[in-house]
C-alpha cells in the first residue's frame, strides 16, 4: 500500500513536469506565430500597400495566433477603435512580456511609421525569444529538481 502511494506521488510529479513542458512549448509556438504575423503585416503594408486592418484580417488564418487576429477584426467590424481592439485582445496572452510588447505598439500614423513600429515590435519579440531560450535549460533543470524533491519529501513524510 505504501509503495503504491509513493509511486502515485512520484507519478504525479512526473505528470506535472510533462504538463509544464507542454505548456511552455505551446507558448513558444504562439510567440513564434505572433512574430511571423507581425512580420507578414509589415510586408503586406510595405510591398502590397495594404491597410493595417486588411493586414490584420489576413492573419486570421494563422494556426496559433489566428484567433487573436480574427478577434481584432471582429472588434473592428463592431466599431471598436483599432488601438483599443488590439490592446484588449493582446493584454491577456501569455507570456506577459510578449503581451506588454504587443500592447505598447502604437497603431496610428502613416505607412512608414506603422512599418517602423511593426519592425521594432518584431525585434523586441525576437529579443524575448533569445532571452527565453538562453534560460530555458536552467529553468527546466530547476523545475525537475524542485518537483522531484518535493515528491520525495512527501513520500518520506508519509512513510
Amino acid at each position: 500500500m505504501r509503495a503504491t502511494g509513493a509511486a502515485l506521488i512520484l507519478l504525479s510529479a512526473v505528470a506535472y513536469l510533462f504538463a509544464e513542458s507542454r505548456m511552455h512549448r505551446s507558448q513558444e509556438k504562439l510567440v513564434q506565430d505572433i512574430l511571423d504575423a507581425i512580420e507578414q503585416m509589415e510586408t503586406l503594408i510595405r510591398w502590397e500597400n495594404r491597410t493595417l486592418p486588411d493586414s490584420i484580417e489576413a492573419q486570421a488564418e494563422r494556426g496559433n495566433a489566428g484567433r487573436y487576429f480574427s478577434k481584432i477584426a471582429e472588434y473592428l467590424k463592431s466599431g471598436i477603435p483599432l488601438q483599443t481592439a488590439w490592446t484588449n485582445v493582446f493584454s491577456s496572452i501569455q507570456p506577459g512580456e510578449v503581451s506588454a510588447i504587443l500592447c505598447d505598439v502604437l497603431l496610428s500614423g502613416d505607412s512608414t511609421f506603422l512599418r517602423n513600429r511593426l519592425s521594432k515590435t518584431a525585434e523586441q519579440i525576437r529579443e524575448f525569444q533569445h532571452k527565453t531560450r538562453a534560460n530555458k535549460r536552467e529553468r527546466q533543470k530547476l523545475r525537475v529538481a524542485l518537483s522531484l524533491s518535493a515528491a520525495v519529501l512527501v513520500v518520506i513524510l508519509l512513510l
Side-chain angles (χ1 to χ4, degrees):
M1 183 79 149
R2 289 182 181 182
T4 304
L8 288 174
I9 290 170
L10 291 173
L11 184 63
S12 68
V14 171
Y16 162 76
L17 290 172
F18 279 124
E20 279 289 313
S21 175
R22 201 167 117 220
M23 182 190 70
H24 285 288
R25 276 195 308 269
S26 173
Q27 283 182 351
E28 288 173 1
K29 286 180 184 178
L30 175 64
V31 170
Q32 183 60 49
D33 203 24
I34 289 173
L35 174 61
D36 294 342
I38 297 292
E39 289 173 337
Q40 186 178 21
M41 288 168 51
E42 180 189 3
T43 300
L44 290 174
I45 292 170
R46 177 182 307 262
W47 300 110
E48 295 182 17
N49 291 328
R50 305 264 301 264
T51 64
L52 185 58
D54 288 342
S55 62
I56 288 173
E57 196 169 327
Q59 305 311 309
E61 301 299 317
R62 294 194 161 275
N64 293 319
R67 64 179 182 257
Y68 298 107
F69 291 101
S70 64
K71 186 101 171 155
I72 292 170
E74 288 174 21
Y75 282 157
L76 291 176
K77 289 176 184 172
S78 68
I80 295 176
L82 176 59
Q83 189 70 49
T84 304
W86 181 274
T87 304
N88 287 346
V89 169
F90 286 122
S91 64
S92 62
I93 67 166
Q94 292 297 324
E97 293 91 342
V98 173
S99 175
I101 291 168
L102 291 170
C103 288
D104 286 344
V105 176
L106 184 60
L107 301 172
S108 62
D110 64 354
S111 65
T112 304
F113 180 77
L114 283 172
R115 288 191 323 255
N116 290 338
R117 294 298 299 174
L118 292 173
S119 177
K120 181 181 176 189
T121 301
E123 183 58 36
Q124 289 174 329
I125 293 173
R126 272 191 228 96
E127 288 173 9
F128 168 79
Q129 283 180 318
H130 181 70
K131 180 182 72 170
T132 302
R133 288 179 183 144
N135 297 330
K136 181 179 179 180
R137 184 176 293 281
E138 291 82 20
R139 286 182 292 132
Q140 188 174 6
K141 285 179 185 179
L142 182 62
R143 190 178 304 116
V144 168
L146 287 175
S147 12
L148 292 180
S149 297
V152 169
L153 181 64
V154 169
V155 167
I156 290 171
L157 290 174
L158 292 177
L159 293 178

